Amino acid sequence: MIRKIWINCSEASGDMCAGALAGELFRQCPTLEIGGMGGPMLSQAGATVHFPMSRICFTGFLDVLFGLPGIFRLQREITSFWEQDRPDAIVMVDCPDFNLSLVKAAHAMKIPVFYFMAPQFWAWKQQGMKLLQKYVHNIICALPFEPEYFHNKGCRAQYAGHPLQDIIPLRSLDKLVPNTHQIGIMPGSRKKEISFLLPEFAEAASRLHREMPLLTFSVARAPGIKEEFLKQFWPDTLPMRIVEPEKRFQMIRKSCLVLAASGTATLETALIGTPTIVGYKLDRPAAFLARKLAFSKFISLTNILFKKELFPEYLQERATADSYFEQVVMWLNNPGMLLEVRNTLKDMRTIAGPTGGVKAAADMILAKNEQRGGLQWISAS
């Protein structure tokens, strides 16, 4: 019987999913002890955060390179903690570059490992598939095509569904009417990516406001990012409202369109139904590696799932104020185009899979899935 669970996550979107999972685990088994590495959402769910995820908040090749000593030290501290206070199960959440190094240590200690929010190896050439094959008890997949992919690679995988379908209050959001004059901005959850993206978003917003004075701009603040940090990239003369993390879903729904950093945010906007312009920029070494390692034609999960560029993507040298400005003007001057995107997004909730993914994941971890009640089970055997 599982009494003690360790959850390991290291970035904002993973923390959101980890928090939802911890909450469901506690709901099913209130006597559980849940600890781990994570952020505010994991903590708010009632888990004990022994190691804050802020210790490895890196973006780009140079950040990671200079941070390697700290990363290795943190991994040693976590494995030492397990030796002193052994969990009955470990749940890794996304972030394979950090988590997979811990999987082998957990296996050596005979602790079963579950992988929640599977590594996106189908999108990138990455090392680590052999570790998943040998040492991960079960990969709990969020996307409908992932179980077959991992099965074909020799892994044990089971399909649950995407946690965002449960985390986002979609029914209540559907009742809100979008404001044709509000533009939402989601510049990312890490300081480096914000410093790359928000100045260009802000410059585009300034030009838009000069041509369309009725436009308003709402900037979503990610957990761990202070208002002062966001404001330093925004002109003092341009009105802007900062939206707290827990209010961002309402902001997305009320916006006629969103400018967003590539990542989980673009799946959030798609599920909510708001047309989105995607931007992303890395330092040059990281961008070079990304282009060499990418399998996917698209970077946005929305476009990957739709198998077309529904959300315009502007990456690296194209991630400029000019690009964003021209795309926003095109959409605003052609309401039919925006409406077509909105209508297409109605299919996203079906494409992304069923609701109940968080509960299904908790069932698997607590070994309540013997009957498997219609869940897709794929074994490497």
Side-chain angles (χ1 to χ4, degrees), residues 243-308:
V243 178
E244 295 303 298
E246 65 274 12
K247 298 292 184 181
R248 73 184 182 283
F249 297 143
Q250 289 81 0
M251 180 274 282
I252 292 170
R253 177 60 182 174
K254 290 181 180 179
S255 299
C256 66
L257 62 91
V258 171
L259 295 169
S262 178
T264 303
T266 62
L267 185 56
E268 293 176 358
T269 61
L271 288 169
I272 292 169
T274 303
T276 301
I277 298 166
V278 182
Y280 210 72
K281 188 181 291 187
L282 293 166
D283 57 47
R284 288 185 179 181
F288 175 80
L289 288 174
R291 284 173 168 150
K292 290 290 184 181
L293 299 177
F295 286 137
S296 176
K297 180 180 178 181
F298 304 114
I299 190 171
S300 164
L301 189 53
T302 296
N303 292 340
I304 291 170
L305 289 172
F306 273 106
K307 300 180 181 179
K308 64 179 182 180

Side-chain angles (χ1 to χ4, degrees), residues 343-358:
N343 287 336
T344 303
L345 288 174
K346 292 177 181 178
D347 295 329
M348 175 53 85
R349 299 177 194 179
T350 300
I351 293 172
T355 59
V358 175

Side-chain angles (χ1 to χ4, degrees), residues 349-375:
R349 299 177 194 179
T350 300
I351 293 172
T355 59
V358 175
K359 181 181 183 302
D363 288 344
M364 295 171 201
I365 293 164
L366 295 175
K368 292 184 177 180
N369 58 317
E370 288 83 359
Q371 302 301 319
R372 298 189 178 107
L375 289 171

Side-chain angles (χ1 to χ4, degrees), residues 96 100 103 119 121 126-134 136 155:
L100 282 177
V103 165
F121 285 174
Q126 296 186 53
Q127 302 296 317
M129 187 63 75
K130 289 184 178 179
L131 293 175
L132 289 175
Q133 294 167 355
K134 294 176 65 176
V136 173
C155 301

Side-chain angles (χ1 to χ4, degrees), residues 303-323:
N303 292 340
I304 291 170
L305 289 172
F306 273 106
K307 300 180 181 179
K308 64 179 182 180
E309 192 173 5
L310 182 66
F311 285 175
E313 295 184 354
Y314 296 101
L315 314 177
Q316 288 306 111
E317 61 275 359
R318 297 181 67 230
T320 65
D322 287 343
S323 299

